Amino acid sequence: MGQALGCLQVDQSNVIVREHFGKFDDVLEPGCHCLPWCLGYRVAGGLSLRVQQLDVRCETKTKDNVFVNVVASVQYHAIAEKAADAFYRLSNTRAQIQSYVFDGIRASVPKLNLDAVFEQKNDIAKAVEEELEKAMSTYGFEIVQTLIVDIEPDVQVKRAMNEINAAARMRLAANEKAEAEKILQIKKAEGEAESKYLSGLGIARQRQAIVDGLRESVLAFSENVPGTTPKDVMDMVLVTQYFDTMKEIGASSKSSSVFIPHGPGAVRDVTAQIREGLLQARPVQDSSD
């Protein structure tokens, strides 16, 4: 009805291109406009000024011969002051933008290795955006922003990259585990050495205490019992220890013992052997002194 009366309403964020007898006449901005069709005026078409988004998937090859799919997202809008150029100069805006994106990506990615593509995706997006801005501004469009939203290598390449990463982490874990085991072994050896050292000190002190006790016992017994010599006292002490040992062996039901020829008379032989060993060792010590 409005068009029949020669009136036209343009919505917000839109413009209408008006022609007069097939020739561009004016760009109608949002609001109500007079369009006397009887005088040769007509609407050629409309154009949105809103920001639009175009996602472009481009397959290309990196410098190290790996094929990847790069997904770029381009945000653009028509410039109100250049609405006539945006309407008349391009027949397919999205296809034109897609062509420039393909050209920009395939000019940048082949210069980089695969790892560098992931690291420098912002630089790639900036290069594509500069190329688009330079080309599309002449057609009445402004490029708001260009983003590289995804980089997809081949499935086998992704699997190989994951395996390399996993192997590196396993190697690092093995090194750390070996280092920890080394530290444990060192600490264990240090602990055993310290334990043996302290045990040796304890045994030495124990033997010293036994010797001191035996000496005091022999001297006291010799003084209290007239006519006994230190040799007799030592023989008696050895016999007493012999019987105490036999008593302990017989009292334990789970003892593992090795029996050798023995008897009360064998104590004298043991005493003689000990005495001879001491007598043989003493000249050696005296000569060393």
Side-chain angles (χ1 to χ4, degrees):
M1 184 68 180
Q3 292 183 358
L5 297 177
C7 296
L8 178 66
Q9 175 182 321
V10 181
D11 296 332
Q12 183 65 35
S13 299
N14 289 276
V15 292
I16 295 295
V17 177
R18 185 178 65 184
E19 293 180 347
H20 185 217
F21 291 112
K23 182 181 178 181
F24 170 73
D25 180 66
D26 195 7
V27 175
L28 304 181
E29 296 182 352
C32 185
H33 299 273
C34 180
L35 190 69
W37 57 271
C38 57
L39 298 180
Y41 291 97
R42 73 180 187 91
V43 175
L47 191 65
S48 175
L49 300 180
R50 296 179 180 179
V51 176
Q52 303 180 57
Q53 178 168 310
L54 174 63
D55 293 329
V56 181
R57 177 181 294 270
C58 176
E59 183 180 16
T60 184
K61 186 182 72 170
T62 62
K63 187 176 181 180
D64 48 355
N65 296 323
V66 177
F67 283 91
V68 294
N69 287 316
V70 181
V71 180
S73 179
V74 180
Q75 298 174 355
Y76 66 98
H77 70 90
I79 304 174
E81 293 77 9
K82 297 182 178 180
D85 292 334
F87 183 79
Y88 285 106
R89 298 190 64 179
L90 289 179
S91 60
N92 192 335
T93 305
R94 300 176 70 88
Q96 186 76 9
I97 293 176
Q98 183 175 350
S99 299
Y100 280 107
V101 172
F102 281 168
D103 182 69
I105 291 176
R106 288 173 176 167
S108 301
V109 174
K111 299 178 182 179
L112 305 172
N113 293 327
L114 181 60
D115 293 338
V117 171
F118 283 93
E119 295 172 358
Q120 302 181 24
K121 68 182 187 68
N122 291 335
D123 296 337
I124 298 173
K126 184 177 180 181
V128 174
E129 182 176 342
E130 290 177 353
E131 187 71 19
L132 275 174
E133 184 69 28
K134 187 189 306 180
M136 299 304 295
S137 60
T138 60
Y139 299 112
F141 286 92
E142 179 183 1
I143 304 300
V144 179
Q145 194 170 16
T146 301
L147 303 173
I148 302 298
V149 296
D150 196 8
I151 301 173
E152 300 177 355
D154 186 75
V155 176
Q156 295 181 355
V157 176
K158 292 169 66 176
R159 186 183 299 112
M161 293 174 63
N162 291 333
E163 291 177 355
I164 293 173
N165 190 16
R169 292 182 180 275
M170 289 179 64
R171 183 169 60 252
L172 180 61
N175 291 335
E176 294 294 334
K177 183 179 179 181
E179 189 67 23
E181 291 179 353
K182 176 183 176 182
I183 294 174
L184 289 176
Q185 292 293 335
I186 293 174
K187 293 299 181 182
K188 183 179 179 180
E190 291 177 353
E192 290 179 353
E194 184 69 19
S195 175
K196 290 179 180 179
Y197 173 74
L198 296 176
S199 177
L201 290 179
I203 292 174
R205 292 175 181 175
Q206 180 185 13
R207 290 176 178 176
Q208 184 64 38
I210 292 173
V211 171
D212 293 341
L214 288 174
R215 183 175 63 250
E216 293 176 359
S217 298
V218 169
L219 293 176
F221 195 86
S222 299
E223 293 176 357
N224 294 330
V225 181
T228 59
T229 62
K231 177 181 177 300
D232 297 332
V233 177
M234 286 299 300
D235 292 340
M236 185 185 67
V237 171
L238 290 174
V239 171
T240 303
Q241 290 182 348
Y242 171 78
F243 283 112
D244 290 341
T245 303
M246 295 300 298
K247 181 181 178 181
E248 291 179 0
I249 293 174
S252 178
S253 60
K254 297 182 179 180
S255 62
S256 299
S257 305
V258 178
F259 290 94
I260 59 175
H262 66 282
V267 176
R268 185 177 300 275
D269 297 334
V270 174
T271 304
Q273 294 176 6
I274 295 174
R275 188 182 296 110
E276 290 176 0
L278 292 173
L279 292 175
Q280 291 176 2
R282 187 172 301 169
V284 176
Q285 294 177 357
D286 294 339
S287 64
S288 62
D289 295 336

